[in-house]
Amino acid sequence: VRLAMVLLRTSDMVVLGIADSPELVTVYALTRYVPEAVVTLVAMVVMRVAPGLGGIIGSGNSKKGATVRRELMTFTWLLAVITGVGILLWNRSFVGIWVGDTFFAGRLANLLIVLLVVQFVFIRNDSHIIDLTLDLKNKVLLGALAGTVSVVVSTILVLLDHGIVGLCIGFLVGRGIVSLAYPAVVGGALGIRLRDQARQAIRPALVTMLLFTAATLSGPHLIVDSWLLLIGGAATTVLVVTPIAFFLGLDPDGRARISSRAERLMATFGSNRGK
């Protein structure tokens, strides 16, 4: 199980180092530093929800399990799109202030890295749900296939001198296997048709495309050279993008569910801090 996840998540650095150069690995690692933090942030949310989901799945209540899974995916999308827009707007400034502009991989590479992160957090969510259903054989086989395809395709593209862009495209293609297969496996366990999952994803996907395109085009015009301006810009981005994503990307039922879930999470964090 761990080998499959290693192939999907960390083999990109190995591929880039072998097929290109350590210098490019450094640029890639520094550019993706903040995007990787998104994975950690979403994982924290999943850990808050997962224990309850495990009990629901264990009891055989697939209908409730499907509802919780939808809430989890919706909350994940909201976090991912807000942070993704922030990264597309401010990652160049962050890297420039931190280590210098020469270590920023470029606007297209930055977009592809953000897409990789968004893709992976959804994969990770369903991967964890599959663990709870104990359907580990399919998970391992599919993960190994996706990891192998990712490594092969990205290696070819990097060797053809497409660098970080080629690496990202290769992994997007390879991980696309589990992006489709894992929801099908989860859907089979929880009684969710893949067609219904696809239909529910249309609106958030369109809003993601709109926001990411706008952020990618605006990013080069929003360059700052101090941490204070960067923090202010990032905070402003969160304040502006959150209501846009919330109201445009979610239907009324989704907004109600996410509001309720957010209140429960905040109550949980508050009670833990009070101990």
Side-chain angles (χ1 to χ4, degrees), residues 183-203:
V185 174
V186 172
L190 299 180
I192 316 169
R193 293 183 300 179
L194 192 59
R195 181 176 61 186
D196 291 337
Q197 294 184 53
R199 178 177 53 79
Q200 293 165 4
I202 291 174
R203 181 171 174 172

Side-chain angles (χ1 to χ4, degrees), residues 14-35:
V14 177
V15 168
L16 198 59
I18 293 175
D20 202 287
S21 67
E23 291 78 12
L24 200 61
V25 173
T26 301
V27 172
Y28 177 64
L30 292 172
T31 302
R32 79 165 193 169
Y33 180 83
V34 174

Side-chain angles (χ1 to χ4, degrees), residues 25-233:
V25 173
T26 301
V27 172
Y28 177 64
L30 292 172
T31 302
R32 79 165 193 169
Y33 180 83
V34 174
E36 276 295 299
V38 175
V39 177
T40 303
L41 175 64
V42 175
M44 290 173 59
V45 176
V46 172
M47 291 302 293
R48 292 288 178 179
V49 177
L53 183 57
I56 293 169
I57 292 175
S59 68
N61 191 343
S62 59
K63 184 176 181 179
K64 188 173 181 180
T67 299
V68 174
R69 189 253 184 185
R70 183 178 178 184
E71 290 179 9
L72 176 61
M73 290 303 210
T74 304
F75 200 79
T76 296
W77 173 80
L78 194 60
L79 286 175
V81 76
I82 293 168
T83 53
V85 169
I87 292 165
L88 292 170
L89 287 174
W90 303 109
N91 199 27
R92 179 180 174 184
S93 294
F94 172 81
V95 174
I97 297 170
W98 182 26
V99 291
D101 290 334
T102 56
F103 290 96
F104 181 66
R107 184 169 57 173
L108 178 56
N110 192 42
L111 172 61
L112 292 173
I113 289 171
V114 170
L115 292 177
L116 276 175
V117 168
V118 172
Q119 183 188 48
F120 184 77
V121 294
F122 285 111
I123 291 171
R124 187 169 185 168
N125 281 358
D126 274 340
S127 172
H128 193 78
I129 294 173
I130 293 172
D131 288 343
L132 298 176
T133 67
L134 302 180
D135 189 4
L136 300 183
K137 181 179 179 181
N138 282 330
K139 173 187 172 179
V140 172
L141 291 176
L142 290 167
L145 174 61
T148 301
V149 172
S150 297
V151 169
V152 171
V153 175
S154 61
T155 299
I156 292 172
L157 291 175
V158 173
L159 288 173
L160 291 174
D161 203 27
H162 292 293
I164 293 173
V165 170
L167 177 82
C168 293
I169 292 174
F171 272 84
L172 284 169
V173 170
R175 289 178 181 178
I177 295 172
V178 287
S179 291
L180 294 175
Y182 279 6
V185 174
V186 172
L190 299 180
I192 316 169
R193 293 183 300 179
L194 192 59
R195 181 176 61 186
D196 291 337
Q197 294 184 53
R199 178 177 53 79
Q200 293 165 4
I202 291 174
R203 181 171 174 172
L206 291 175
V207 173
T208 301
M209 290 174 58
L210 174 65
L211 290 174
F212 279 13
T213 299
T216 300
L217 295 175
S218 301
H221 306 289
L222 295 173
I223 308 298
V224 298
D225 57 5
S226 75
W227 290 113
L228 184 61
L229 289 174
L230 179 60
I231 293 170

